[in-house]
Amino acid sequence: MTRFALTVEYDGRPFMGWQHQDHGPSVQQAIEDALHAITGEDALVHAAGRTDAGVHALEMRAHCDVAKDIAPFRLMEALNARLRPNPVAILGCEVVPDDWHARFSCLARHYEYRIVQRRAPLTFEKGLAWRVANPLDADAMQEGAQHLVGRHDFTTFRSAHCQADSPLRTLDRLDVVRQGDRISVFASARSFLHHQVRSMVGCLSLVGQGKWRPDDMRTALKARDRAALGFNAPSDGLYFLRADYP
Amino acid sequence: MTRFALTVEYDGRPFMGWQHQDHGPSVQQAIEDALHAITGEDALVHAAGRTDAGVHALEMRAHCDVAKDIAPFRLMEALNARLRPNPVAILGCEVVPDDWHARFSCLARHYEYRIVQRRAPLTFEKGLAWRVANPLDADAMQEGAQHLVGRHDFTTFRSAHCQADSPLRTLDRLDVVRQGDRISVFASARSFLHHQVRSMVGCLSLVGQGKWRPDDMRTALKARDRAALGFNAPSDGLYFLRADYP
C-alpha cells in the first residue's frame, strides 16, 4: 500500500458537503468513485476538514491508500479525468509516510469567509459569496473579532449537532479585511467546532451593521449559550483555504 | 418617454449572446422581459456591444426608452428583482438625454480575455476562463501583441459572419499581463470586428506556446486573409469590461 496526500479544490455548490451522505452527492464520494475507476480498489479518502453542504475549498488536504503501482502525477491526472464533470480538481498529489493523516496530523486549518456588499444580486459569484445589501463597518467588525481570538469555550458559536468532545478551542486568527466592496474574514485554528466560522461571521455581520457593538462579541462568547448567537452566516461564502502539517 | 442608461453585469454561460436569438435565451431578451413585466411596455434594449454566446460582461452599457413614470433607482431595483434567477444584474441606472445611444455614442470599448494556466480542470471558473495546460510565455505574447496596435486592415482576425462595412479598425491597446498562473489580455478600441478579440488571443496563445514567433503576428495581419488565422480562442475567457462615452 502507498499513501498519497492530495490537494483538492472544489466548488461546494452541487454537494451535500465533504462527507458521504445518503441524500445527495458528496466530494468524498466523487473522489472515491474516481479512485475506484482507476484502481479497482475501495479506498476511503480522509480530509483535513469535513466541510458542510455548499462550503468550498481552495486547498483541502486529503489522503488515501492505494495498492496499485501508480506514480503520483499519473494518479493526479487520472483522478482529474475521472472527476469530470464534477467541479472538483486535484491540484497536487504526493507520496507520504504511512502515519501521515490528513485529519489527525493537521496542525492548523485556515478558512476565509467572503462577503460582497452591493445592492444588485450576484451573477458570477452566486453561491460563492454572501451578498449583503447594506454597508458594513469593517473596522468595527475587526475590533469585535479580536474578542474571540485566544483559548475560549466557544459553546455560543457551536452547532447543536457538533460532535466534538469539548467546546474549548484556541482561535489563532480572526481578521476582517476590506477591499473595495468585498470583505473577507480570515479564521485560523488547530481545529474548529461545527458551524464555528459561520456563527462567528454571522455575529460579526451584526457588528458591521451597527446592530451589535464590537464588545457584544465578548458578551456572546462569555454567555457560553447557543441562544446568545446572533446569526449563522450562509454556507455560500465559506472557503477552506489550506491546512498546515509538520 | 424617458431614456435610461443601464450598466449591466452578466455571466454569459447560459446565454446565446447579447442579441435576440430564435434558438435560445439572450441577455437582451431577459432584460426586455423584465422591463415589460414592470412597465407593460415593449421597449427595445440596445447595448454598446453585442457579445457572442458564452461571452461575459462586467459593465456593459445599454439604454431603453420608458413611458411609465419611474425613478432610476426604483427601475434598477425592479429590474434586478424580475431578472432572477438569470445571472444578469443591473449595477447602475440613470436618466440620459434622448440622443444618448449605448451603441452609437460609444467612444471606446474595453475587453479582457482571461487565461488560466494549469494542469487541473477549472472548478469555480469553468466557462469563465480559458484553461491552458502548458506554460505560456507572456513576454513573447506582449511583444507579438504590439504588432497589432494601431490602424490596420484586420481581415485576418475577422469572422466570416462579420457584418461591418470595413475591415479597418484602430486598436488602441492590446496588453498581455501575467499574475501568477493567470494571464489577462486587455484590448481597447472604438469598435471591434466580429470575433476580433478571440482571434487575436488565439494567435497570441500560439506565440505564448512558442509555435509562432512574436513577429508572426505581423505576418498574419499583413496577409489580410482569414486563412492566416492561427486559432480562435474559446468564448469562455472573454469579458466586455466597460464602454466610454463623451
Side-chain angles (χ1 to χ4, degrees), chain A residues 9-11 13 56-58 73 77 80 84-85 87-91 118-121 123-124 126 128 131 239, chain B residues 9-13 56-58 73 77 80 84-85 87-91 118-121 123-124 126 128 131 239:
Chain A
E9 174 188 278
Y10 54 86
D11 175 344
R13 287 177 290 187
H56 320 290
L58 298 188
F73 183 78
E77 296 272 289
N80 281 329
R84 292 170 200 262
V88 178
I90 310 298
L91 304 181
R118 73 178 202 177
R119 294 291 308 173
T123 59
F124 302 103
K126 195 173 174 181
L128 295 177
R131 179 185 70 96
Y239 291 74
Chain B
E9 174 188 280
Y10 53 86
D11 175 345
R13 285 177 289 187
H56 320 290
L58 297 188
F73 183 78
E77 297 272 290
N80 280 330
R84 292 168 199 264
V88 178
I90 311 298
L91 303 182
R118 73 177 202 176
R119 293 292 308 174
T123 59
F124 302 103
K126 196 174 172 178
L128 296 177
R131 180 184 69 96
Y239 291 73

CSV table of all heavy atoms in Angstrom, one decimal, chain A residues 9-11 13 56-58 73 77 80 84-85 87-91 118-121 123-124 126 128 131 239, chain B residues 9-13 56-58 73 77 80 84-85 87-91 118-121 123-124 126 128 131 239:
chain,number,residue,atom,x,y,z
A,9,GLU,N,-9.3,21.1,-4.7
A,9,GLU,CA,-10.1,22.3,-4.9
A,9,GLU,C,-11.5,21.9,-5.3
A,9,GLU,O,-11.6,21.0,-6.1
A,9,GLU,CB,-9.5,23.2,-6.0
A,9,GLU,CG,-10.2,24.4,-6.4
A,9,GLU,CD,-9.7,25.1,-7.6
A,9,GLU,OE1,-8.7,25.8,-7.5
A,9,GLU,OE2,-10.2,24.8,-8.7
A,10,TYR,N,-12.5,22.4,-4.6
A,10,TYR,CA,-13.8,22.1,-5.1
A,10,TYR,C,-14.8,23.3,-4.8
A,10,TYR,O,-14.7,24.1,-3.9
A,10,TYR,CB,-14.4,20.9,-4.4
A,10,TYR,CG,-14.4,20.7,-2.9
A,10,TYR,CD1,-15.4,21.3,-2.2
A,10,TYR,CD2,-13.3,20.1,-2.3
A,10,TYR,CE1,-15.4,21.1,-0.8
A,10,TYR,CE2,-13.3,19.9,-0.9
A,10,TYR,CZ,-14.4,20.4,-0.2
A,10,TYR,OH,-14.3,20.3,1.2
A,11,ASP,N,-15.7,23.4,-5.8
A,11,ASP,CA,-16.9,24.3,-5.7
A,11,ASP,C,-18.0,23.5,-5.0
A,11,ASP,O,-18.5,22.5,-5.5
A,11,ASP,CB,-17.3,24.6,-7.1
A,11,ASP,CG,-18.5,25.5,-7.3
A,11,ASP,OD1,-19.2,25.6,-6.3
A,11,ASP,OD2,-18.7,26.0,-8.4
A,13,ARG,N,-21.1,24.1,-4.4
A,13,ARG,CA,-22.5,24.3,-4.7
A,13,ARG,C,-23.3,23.0,-4.9
A,13,ARG,O,-24.4,22.9,-4.4
A,13,ARG,CB,-22.6,25.3,-5.8
A,13,ARG,CG,-22.3,26.7,-5.4
A,13,ARG,CD,-22.4,27.7,-6.5
A,13,ARG,NE,-21.3,27.6,-7.5
A,13,ARG,CZ,-21.0,28.4,-8.5
A,13,ARG,NH1,-21.8,29.4,-8.7
A,13,ARG,NH2,-20.0,28.2,-9.3
A,56,HIS,N,-17.0,25.6,0.2
A,56,HIS,CA,-16.0,25.4,-0.9
A,56,HIS,C,-14.6,25.1,-0.3
A,56,HIS,O,-14.4,25.3,0.9
A,56,HIS,CB,-15.9,26.7,-1.8
A,56,HIS,CG,-17.3,27.2,-2.0
A,56,HIS,ND1,-18.2,26.6,-2.8
A,56,HIS,CD2,-17.9,28.3,-1.5
A,56,HIS,CE1,-19.3,27.3,-2.9
A,56,HIS,NE2,-19.2,28.4,-2.1
A,57,ALA,N,-13.7,24.7,-1.2
A,57,ALA,CA,-12.3,24.5,-0.7
A,57,ALA,C,-11.3,24.9,-1.8
A,57,ALA,O,-11.5,24.6,-3.0
A,57,ALA,CB,-12.0,23.1,-0.4
A,58,LEU,N,-10.3,25.7,-1.4
A,58,LEU,CA,-9.3,26.0,-2.4
A,58,LEU,C,-8.1,25.1,-2.4
A,58,LEU,O,-7.5,24.7,-3.4
A,58,LEU,CB,-8.8,27.5,-2.2
A,58,LEU,CG,-9.8,28.6,-2.3
A,58,LEU,CD1,-9.2,29.9,-2.2
A,58,LEU,CD2,-10.6,28.4,-3.6
A,73,PHE,N,2.0,11.7,-10.2
A,73,PHE,CA,1.5,12.6,-11.2
A,73,PHE,C,0.4,11.9,-12.1
A,73,PHE,O,-0.6,12.5,-12.4
A,73,PHE,CB,2.7,13.0,-12.1
A,73,PHE,CG,2.3,14.0,-13.2
A,73,PHE,CD1,2.0,15.4,-12.9
A,73,PHE,CD2,2.1,13.6,-14.5
A,73,PHE,CE1,1.6,16.3,-13.9
A,73,PHE,CE2,1.7,14.5,-15.5
A,73,PHE,CZ,1.5,15.8,-15.2
A,77,GLU,N,-3.5,13.0,-12.6
A,77,GLU,CA,-4.1,13.2,-13.9
A,77,GLU,C,-5.3,12.3,-14.2
A,77,GLU,O,-6.3,12.7,-14.7
A,77,GLU,CB,-3.1,13.0,-15.0
A,77,GLU,CG,-1.9,14.0,-15.0
A,77,GLU,CD,-2.1,15.2,-15.8
A,77,GLU,OE1,-2.2,15.2,-17.0
A,77,GLU,OE2,-2.3,16.3,-15.1
A,80,ASN,N,-8.3,13.6,-12.1
A,80,ASN,CA,-8.9,14.7,-12.7
A,80,ASN,C,-9.7,14.3,-14.0
A,80,ASN,O,-10.8,14.9,-14.2
A,80,ASN,CB,-7.8,15.8,-13.1
A,80,ASN,CG,-7.4,16.6,-11.9
A,80,ASN,OD1,-8.2,16.8,-11.0
A,80,ASN,ND2,-6.2,17.0,-11.9
A,84,ARG,N,-14.4,14.6,-13.9
A,84,ARG,CA,-15.3,15.4,-14.7
A,84,ARG,C,-16.7,14.7,-14.8
A,84,ARG,O,-16.7,13.5,-14.9
A,84,ARG,CB,-14.7,15.5,-16.2
A,84,ARG,CG,-13.5,16.3,-16.3
A,84,ARG,CD,-13.0,16.0,-17.7
A,84,ARG,NE,-11.6,16.3,-17.8
A,84,ARG,CZ,-11.1,17.5,-18.3
A,84,ARG,NH1,-11.9,18.4,-18.7
A,84,ARG,NH2,-9.8,17.7,-18.4
A,85,PRO,N,-17.8,15.5,-14.8
A,85,PRO,CA,-17.8,17.0,-14.9
A,85,PRO,C,-18.0,17.6,-13.5
A,85,PRO,O,-18.5,18.7,-13.4
A,85,PRO,CB,-19.1,17.2,-15.7
A,85,PRO,CG,-20.0,16.1,-15.3
A,85,PRO,CD,-19.1,14.9,-15.0
A,87,PRO,N,-17.2,19.6,-10.2
A,87,PRO,CA,-16.3,20.8,-10.0
A,87,PRO,C,-15.3,20.5,-8.9
A,87,PRO,O,-15.3,21.2,-7.9
A,87,PRO,CB,-17.3,21.9,-9.7
A,87,PRO,CG,-18.4,21.3,-9.1
A,87,PRO,CD,-18.6,19.9,-9.7
A,88,VAL,N,-14.6,19.4,-9.1
A,88,VAL,CA,-13.5,19.0,-8.1
A,88,VAL,C,-12.2,18.8,-8.9
A,88,VAL,O,-12.3,18.1,-9.9
A,88,VAL,CB,-13.9,17.7,-7.5
A,88,VAL,CG1,-12.8,17.2,-6.5
A,88,VAL,CG2,-15.3,17.8,-6.8
A,89,ALA,N,-11.2,19.4,-8.4
A,89,ALA,CA,-9.9,19.3,-9.1
A,89,ALA,C,-8.8,18.9,-8.1
A,89,ALA,O,-8.7,19.4,-7.0
A,89,ALA,CB,-9.5,20.6,-9.8
A,90,ILE,N,-8.0,17.9,-8.6
A,90,ILE,CA,-6.8,17.5,-7.7
A,90,ILE,C,-5.6,18.4,-8.2
A,90,ILE,O,-5.2,18.3,-9.3
A,90,ILE,CB,-6.5,16.0,-7.9
A,90,ILE,CG1,-7.8,15.2,-7.8
A,90,ILE,CG2,-5.4,15.6,-7.0
A,90,ILE,CD1,-8.4,15.2,-6.4
A,91,LEU,N,-5.2,19.3,-7.3
A,91,LEU,CA,-4.1,20.2,-7.7
A,91,LEU,C,-2.8,19.7,-7.4
A,91,LEU,O,-1.8,20.2,-7.9
A,91,LEU,CB,-4.3,21.6,-6.9
A,91,LEU,CG,-5.7,22.3,-7.1
A,91,LEU,CD1,-5.7,23.6,-6.3
A,91,LEU,CD2,-5.9,22.6,-8.5
A,118,ARG,N,-23.2,44.8,-1.9
A,118,ARG,CA,-23.8,45.5,-3.0
A,118,ARG,C,-25.3,45.3,-3.1
A,118,ARG,O,-25.8,44.3,-2.6
A,118,ARG,CB,-23.1,45.1,-4.4
A,118,ARG,CG,-23.5,43.8,-4.9
A,118,ARG,CD,-22.8,43.6,-6.2
A,118,ARG,NE,-23.4,42.6,-7.1
A,118,ARG,CZ,-23.0,42.3,-8.3
A,118,ARG,NH1,-22.0,42.9,-8.8
A,118,ARG,NH2,-23.6,41.4,-9.1
A,119,ARG,N,-26.0,46.2,-3.8
A,119,ARG,CA,-27.5,46.2,-3.9
A,119,ARG,C,-27.9,45.0,-4.9
A,119,ARG,O,-28.8,44.3,-4.6
A,119,ARG,CB,-28.0,47.5,-4.5
A,119,ARG,CG,-27.9,48.7,-3.7
A,119,ARG,CD,-28.7,48.7,-2.5
A,119,ARG,NE,-30.1,48.4,-2.7
A,119,ARG,CZ,-31.0,48.2,-1.7
A,119,ARG,NH1,-30.6,48.3,-0.5
A,119,ARG,NH2,-32.3,48.0,-2.0
A,120,ALA,N,-27.2,45.0,-6.0
A,120,ALA,CA,-27.6,44.0,-7.1
A,120,ALA,C,-27.3,42.6,-6.7
A,120,ALA,O,-26.3,42.3,-6.0
A,120,ALA,CB,-26.9,44.4,-8.4
A,121,PRO,N,-28.1,41.7,-7.2
A,121,PRO,CA,-27.9,40.2,-6.9
A,121,PRO,C,-26.5,39.8,-7.5
A,121,PRO,O,-26.0,40.5,-8.4
A,121,PRO,CB,-29.0,39.5,-7.6
A,121,PRO,CG,-30.0,40.5,-8.0
A,121,PRO,CD,-29.3,41.9,-8.0
A,123,THR,N,-24.0,37.6,-9.8
A,123,THR,CA,-24.1,36.8,-11.0
A,123,THR,C,-23.0,35.7,-11.0
A,123,THR,O,-23.3,34.6,-10.7
A,123,THR,CB,-24.0,37.7,-12.2
A,123,THR,OG1,-22.7,38.4,-12.2
A,123,THR,CG2,-25.1,38.8,-12.3
A,124,PHE,N,-21.8,36.1,-11.3
A,124,PHE,CA,-20.7,35.1,-11.3
A,124,PHE,C,-20.5,34.4,-10.0
A,124,PHE,O,-20.1,33.3,-10.0
A,124,PHE,CB,-19.3,35.8,-11.7
A,124,PHE,CG,-19.4,36.5,-13.0
A,124,PHE,CD1,-19.5,37.9,-13.1
A,124,PHE,CD2,-19.3,35.8,-14.2
A,124,PHE,CE1,-19.5,38.6,-14.3
A,124,PHE,CE2,-19.4,36.5,-15.4
A,124,PHE,CZ,-19.5,37.8,-15.5
A,126,LYS,N,-22.7,33.9,-7.5
A,126,LYS,CA,-23.9,33.4,-6.9
A,126,LYS,C,-23.6,32.0,-6.2
A,126,LYS,O,-23.1,31.1,-6.9
A,126,LYS,CB,-25.0,33.2,-7.9
A,126,LYS,CG,-26.4,33.0,-7.3
A,126,LYS,CD,-27.4,33.0,-8.4
A,126,LYS,CE,-28.8,32.6,-7.9
A,126,LYS,NZ,-29.8,32.6,-8.9
A,128,LEU,N,-21.2,31.7,-4.2
A,128,LEU,CA,-19.8,31.7,-3.9
A,128,LEU,C,-19.4,32.8,-3.0
A,128,LEU,O,-18.2,33.0,-2.7
A,128,LEU,CB,-19.0,31.8,-5.3
A,128,LEU,CG,-19.1,30.6,-6.2
A,128,LEU,CD1,-18.3,30.9,-7.5
A,128,LEU,CD2,-18.6,29.3,-5.6
A,131,ARG,N,-23.9,37.9,-0.2
A,131,ARG,CA,-24.2,39.3,-0.6
A,131,ARG,C,-24.9,39.9,0.5
A,131,ARG,O,-25.9,39.4,1.0
A,131,ARG,CB,-25.0,39.3,-1.9
A,131,ARG,CG,-25.4,40.7,-2.3
A,131,ARG,CD,-26.4,40.8,-3.5
A,131,ARG,NE,-27.7,40.3,-3.1
A,131,ARG,CZ,-28.7,41.1,-2.7
A,131,ARG,NH1,-28.5,42.4,-2.8
A,131,ARG,NH2,-29.9,40.7,-2.4
A,239,TYR,N,-14.9,29.3,2.6
A,239,TYR,CA,-13.9,28.5,1.8
A,239,TYR,C,-12.9,27.9,2.8
A,239,TYR,O,-12.3,28.7,3.7
A,239,TYR,CB,-13.1,29.5,0.9
A,239,TYR,CG,-13.9,30.0,-0.3
A,239,TYR,CD1,-14.9,31.0,-0.1
A,239,TYR,CD2,-13.7,29.5,-1.5
A,239,TYR,CE1,-15.7,31.4,-1.1
A,239,TYR,CE2,-14.5,30.0,-2.6
A,239,TYR,CZ,-15.5,30.9,-2.4
A,239,TYR,OH,-16.2,31.4,-3.4
B,9,GLU,N,-24.2,43.7,-15.7
B,9,GLU,CA,-23.2,42.7,-15.5
B,9,GLU,C,-23.9,41.4,-15.8
B,9,GLU,O,-25.0,41.1,-15.4
B,9,GLU,CB,-22.8,42.7,-14.0
B,9,GLU,CG,-21.8,41.5,-13.6
B,9,GLU,CD,-21.6,41.5,-12.1
B,9,GLU,OE1,-20.8,42.3,-11.6
B,9,GLU,OE2,-22.3,40.7,-11.4
B,10,TYR,N,-23.2,40.5,-16.6
B,10,TYR,CA,-23.8,39.2,-16.8
B,10,TYR,C,-22.8,38.1,-17.0
B,10,TYR,O,-21.7,38.3,-17.5
B,10,TYR,CB,-24.8,39.2,-18.0
B,10,TYR,CG,-24.4,39.7,-19.3
B,10,TYR,CD1,-23.7,38.9,-20.2
B,10,TYR,CD2,-24.6,41.0,-19.7
B,10,TYR,CE1,-23.3,39.4,-21.4
B,10,TYR,CE2,-24.2,41.5,-20.9
B,10,TYR,CZ,-23.6,40.7,-21.8
B,10,TYR,OH,-23.2,41.2,-23.0
B,11,ASP,N,-23.2,36.9,-16.5
B,11,ASP,CA,-22.4,35.7,-16.7
B,11,ASP,C,-23.0,35.1,-18.0
B,11,ASP,O,-24.2,34.7,-18.1
B,11,ASP,CB,-22.7,34.8,-15.5
B,11,ASP,CG,-22.1,33.4,-15.6
B,11,ASP,OD1,-21.7,33.0,-16.7
B,11,ASP,OD2,-22.1,32.7,-14.6
B,12,GLY,N,-22.2,35.0,-19.1
B,12,GLY,CA,-22.7,34.6,-20.4
B,12,GLY,C,-23.0,33.2,-20.6
B,12,GLY,O,-23.5,32.8,-21.6
B,13,ARG,N,-22.6,32.3,-19.6
B,13,ARG,CA,-22.7,30.9,-19.8
B,13,ARG,C,-24.0,30.4,-20.2
B,13,ARG,O,-24.1,29.5,-21.2
B,13,ARG,CB,-22.2,30.1,-18.5
B,13,ARG,CG,-20.7,30.2,-18.3
B,13,ARG,CD,-20.3,29.5,-17.1
B,13,ARG,NE,-20.6,30.3,-15.9
B,13,ARG,CZ,-20.2,30.0,-14.6
B,13,ARG,NH1,-19.5,28.9,-14.4
B,13,ARG,NH2,-20.6,30.7,-13.6
B,56,HIS,N,-19.0,37.1,-21.5
B,56,HIS,CA,-19.5,37.7,-20.2
B,56,HIS,C,-19.3,39.3,-20.3
B,56,HIS,O,-18.7,39.8,-21.2
B,56,HIS,CB,-18.7,37.2,-19.1
B,56,HIS,CG,-18.4,35.7,-19.2
B,56,HIS,ND1,-19.4,34.8,-19.0
B,56,HIS,CD2,-17.3,35.0,-19.5
B,56,HIS,CE1,-18.9,33.6,-19.2
B,56,HIS,NE2,-17.6,33.7,-19.5
B,57,ALA,N,-20.0,39.9,-19.3
B,57,ALA,CA,-19.8,41.4,-19.2
B,57,ALA,C,-19.7,41.8,-17.8
B,57,ALA,O,-20.5,41.3,-17.0
B,57,ALA,CB,-21.0,42.1,-19.9
B,58,LEU,N,-18.8,42.7,-17.5
B,58,LEU,CA,-18.7,43.3,-16.1
B,58,LEU,C,-19.4,44.6,-16.1
B,58,LEU,O,-20.1,44.9,-15.1
B,58,LEU,CB,-17.2,43.5,-15.7
B,58,LEU,CG,-16.4,42.2,-15.6
B,58,LEU,CD1,-15.1,42.5,-15.0
B,58,LEU,CD2,-17.1,41.1,-14.8
B,73,PHE,N,-33.5,54.7,-9.6
B,73,PHE,CA,-33.2,53.7,-8.6
B,73,PHE,C,-34.3,52.6,-8.5
B,73,PHE,O,-34.0,51.4,-8.4
B,73,PHE,CB,-33.0,54.4,-7.2
B,73,PHE,CG,-32.5,53.4,-6.1
B,73,PHE,CD1,-31.2,53.0,-6.1
B,73,PHE,CD2,-33.5,52.9,-5.2
B,73,PHE,CE1,-30.8,52.1,-5.1
B,73,PHE,CE2,-33.1,52.0,-4.2
B,73,PHE,CZ,-31.7,51.6,-4.2
B,77,GLU,N,-33.9,48.5,-9.2
B,77,GLU,CA,-34.3,47.5,-8.2
B,77,GLU,C,-35.3,46.6,-8.7
B,77,GLU,O,-35.3,45.4,-8.5
B,77,GLU,CB,-34.8,48.2,-6.9
B,77,GLU,CG,-33.7,49.1,-6.2
B,77,GLU,CD,-32.9,48.3,-5.2
B,77,GLU,OE1,-33.4,47.9,-4.2
B,77,GLU,OE2,-31.7,48.0,-5.5
B,80,ASN,N,-33.7,44.2,-11.3
B,80,ASN,CA,-33.0,43.1,-10.6
B,80,ASN,C,-33.9,42.1,-10.0
B,80,ASN,O,-33.6,40.9,-10.0
B,80,ASN,CB,-32.0,43.7,-9.5
B,80,ASN,CG,-30.8,44.3,-10.1
B,80,ASN,OD1,-30.3,43.8,-11.2
B,80,ASN,ND2,-30.2,45.4,-9.5
B,84,ARG,N,-34.1,37.8,-11.7
B,84,ARG,CA,-33.9,36.5,-11.1
B,84,ARG,C,-34.7,35.4,-11.8
B,84,ARG,O,-35.8,35.6,-12.1
B,84,ARG,CB,-34.3,36.5,-9.6
B,84,ARG,CG,-33.5,37.4,-8.7
B,84,ARG,CD,-34.2,37.5,-7.4
B,84,ARG,NE,-33.8,38.7,-6.7
B,84,ARG,CZ,-32.8,38.7,-5.7
B,84,ARG,NH1,-32.2,37.6,-5.4
B,84,ARG,NH2,-32.5,39.8,-5.1
B,85,PRO,N,-34.1,34.2,-11.9
B,85,PRO,CA,-32.8,33.7,-11.4
B,85,PRO,C,-31.7,33.9,-12.5
B,85,PRO,O,-30.7,33.2,-12.5
B,85,PRO,CB,-33.0,32.3,-11.1
B,85,PRO,CG,-34.0,31.8,-12.2
B,85,PRO,CD,-34.9,33.0,-12.5
B,87,PRO,N,-28.5,35.1,-14.4
B,87,PRO,CA,-27.3,35.7,-13.9
B,87,PRO,C,-27.0,37.0,-14.6
B,87,PRO,O,-25.9,37.2,-15.2
B,87,PRO,CB,-26.2,34.6,-14.1
B,87,PRO,CG,-26.7,33.9,-15.4
B,87,PRO,CD,-28.2,33.9,-15.3
B,88,VAL,N,-27.9,37.9,-14.4
B,88,VAL,CA,-27.8,39.3,-15.0
B,88,VAL,C,-28.2,40.3,-13.9
B,88,VAL,O,-29.2,40.1,-13.2
B,88,VAL,CB,-28.8,39.5,-16.2
B,88,VAL,CG1,-28.8,40.9,-16.7
B,88,VAL,CG2,-28.6,38.4,-17.3
B,89,ALA,N,-27.3,41.3,-13.7
B,89,ALA,CA,-27.5,42.3,-12.7
B,89,ALA,C,-27.4,43.7,-13.2
B,89,ALA,O,-26.5,43.9,-14.0
B,89,ALA,CB,-26.5,42.1,-11.5
B,90,ILE,N,-28.3,44.5,-12.9
B,90,ILE,CA,-28.3,45.9,-13.2
B,90,ILE,C,-27.5,46.7,-12.1
B,90,ILE,O,-28.0,46.8,-11.0
B,90,ILE,CB,-29.7,46.5,-13.4
B,90,ILE,CG1,-30.6,45.6,-14.3
B,90,ILE,CG2,-29.6,48.0,-14.0
B,90,ILE,CD1,-30.0,45.4,-15.7
B,91,LEU,N,-26.3,47.1,-12.5
B,91,LEU,CA,-25.4,47.7,-11.5
B,91,LEU,C,-25.7,49.2,-11.4
B,91,LEU,O,-25.4,49.9,-10.4
B,91,LEU,CB,-24.0,47.5,-11.8
B,91,LEU,CG,-23.5,46.0,-11.9
B,91,LEU,CD1,-22.0,46.0,-12.2
B,91,LEU,CD2,-23.9,45.3,-10.7
B,118,ARG,N,-3.0,26.0,-16.0
B,118,ARG,CA,-2.8,24.9,-15.0
B,118,ARG,C,-3.2,23.6,-15.6
B,118,ARG,O,-4.0,23.5,-16.6
B,118,ARG,CB,-3.6,25.2,-13.8
B,118,ARG,CG,-5.1,25.1,-13.8
B,118,ARG,CD,-5.7,25.4,-12.5
B,118,ARG,NE,-7.0,24.8,-12.3
B,118,ARG,CZ,-7.7,24.8,-11.2
B,118,ARG,NH1,-7.2,25.4,-10.1
B,118,ARG,NH2,-8.9,24.2,-11.1
B,119,ARG,N,-2.7,22.5,-15.0
B,119,ARG,CA,-3.0,21.2,-15.4
B,119,ARG,C,-4.4,20.8,-15.1
B,119,ARG,O,-5.1,20.2,-15.9
B,119,ARG,CB,-2.0,20.2,-14.7
B,119,ARG,CG,-0.6,20.2,-15.0
B,119,ARG,CD,-0.2,19.8,-16.4
B,119,ARG,NE,-0.7,18.5,-16.8
B,119,ARG,CZ,-0.6,18.0,-18.1
B,119,ARG,NH1,0.0,18.8,-19.0
B,119,ARG,NH2,-1.1,16.9,-18.4
B,120,ALA,N,-4.8,21.1,-13.9
B,120,ALA,CA,-6.1,20.6,-13.4
B,120,ALA,C,-7.3,21.3,-14.1
B,120,ALA,O,-7.1,22.5,-14.5
B,120,ALA,CB,-6.2,20.7,-11.9
B,121,PRO,N,-8.4,20.6,-14.3
B,121,PRO,CA,-9.6,21.3,-14.9
B,121,PRO,C,-10.0,22.5,-14.0
B,121,PRO,O,-9.7,22.5,-12.8
B,121,PRO,CB,-10.7,20.2,-14.9
B,121,PRO,CG,-10.0,18.9,-14.6
B,121,PRO,CD,-8.7,19.2,-14.0
B,123,THR,N,-12.7,24.6,-11.7
B,123,THR,CA,-13.8,24.3,-10.9
B,123,THR,C,-14.7,25.5,-10.9
B,123,THR,O,-15.7,25.6,-11.6
B,123,THR,CB,-13.5,23.8,-9.5
B,123,THR,OG1,-12.7,24.8,-8.9
B,123,THR,CG2,-12.6,22.5,-9.6
B,124,PHE,N,-14.3,26.5,-10.0
B,124,PHE,CA,-15.1,27.7,-9.9
B,124,PHE,C,-15.2,28.5,-11.2
B,124,PHE,O,-16.2,29.2,-11.4
B,124,PHE,CB,-14.5,28.7,-8.8
B,124,PHE,CG,-14.3,28.1,-7.5
B,124,PHE,CD1,-13.1,27.6,-7.0
B,124,PHE,CD2,-15.4,27.9,-6.7
B,124,PHE,CE1,-12.9,27.0,-5.8
B,124,PHE,CE2,-15.3,27.3,-5.4
B,124,PHE,CZ,-14.0,26.9,-5.0
B,126,LYS,N,-15.1,27.4,-14.4
B,126,LYS,CA,-15.4,26.6,-15.6
B,126,LYS,C,-16.4,27.5,-16.4
B,126,LYS,O,-17.4,27.9,-16.0
B,126,LYS,CB,-16.1,25.3,-15.1
B,126,LYS,CG,-16.2,24.3,-16.2
B,126,LYS,CD,-16.8,23.0,-15.7
B,126,LYS,CE,-17.0,22.0,-16.8
B,126,LYS,NZ,-17.6,20.8,-16.3
B,128,LEU,N,-15.6,30.4,-17.4
B,128,LEU,CA,-15.3,31.8,-17.1
B,128,LEU,C,-13.9,32.2,-17.4
B,128,LEU,O,-13.5,33.3,-17.1
B,128,LEU,CB,-15.6,32.1,-15.6
B,128,LEU,CG,-17.1,31.9,-15.1
B,128,LEU,CD1,-17.2,32.1,-13.6
B,128,LEU,CD2,-18.0,32.9,-15.9
B,131,ARG,N,-8.7,27.6,-19.9
B,131,ARG,CA,-7.7,26.9,-19.2
B,131,ARG,C,-6.7,26.4,-20.3
B,131,ARG,O,-7.1,25.8,-21.3
B,131,ARG,CB,-8.2,25.7,-18.5
B,131,ARG,CG,-7.1,24.9,-17.8
B,131,ARG,CD,-7.6,23.6,-17.1
B,131,ARG,NE,-8.0,22.6,-18.1
B,131,ARG,CZ,-7.2,21.6,-18.5
B,131,ARG,NH1,-6.0,21.5,-18.1
B,131,ARG,NH2,-7.7,20.8,-19.4
B,239,TYR,N,-14.5,38.8,-21.6
B,239,TYR,CA,-15.3,39.7,-20.8
B,239,TYR,C,-15.4,41.1,-21.5
B,239,TYR,O,-14.3,41.7,-21.8
B,239,TYR,CB,-14.7,39.9,-19.4
B,239,TYR,CG,-14.8,38.7,-18.6
B,239,TYR,CD1,-13.9,37.6,-18.8
B,239,TYR,CD2,-15.7,38.6,-17.5
B,239,TYR,CE1,-14.0,36.5,-18.0
B,239,TYR,CE2,-15.8,37.4,-16.7
B,239,TYR,CZ,-14.9,36.4,-17.0
B,239,TYR,OH,-15.0,35.3,-16.2
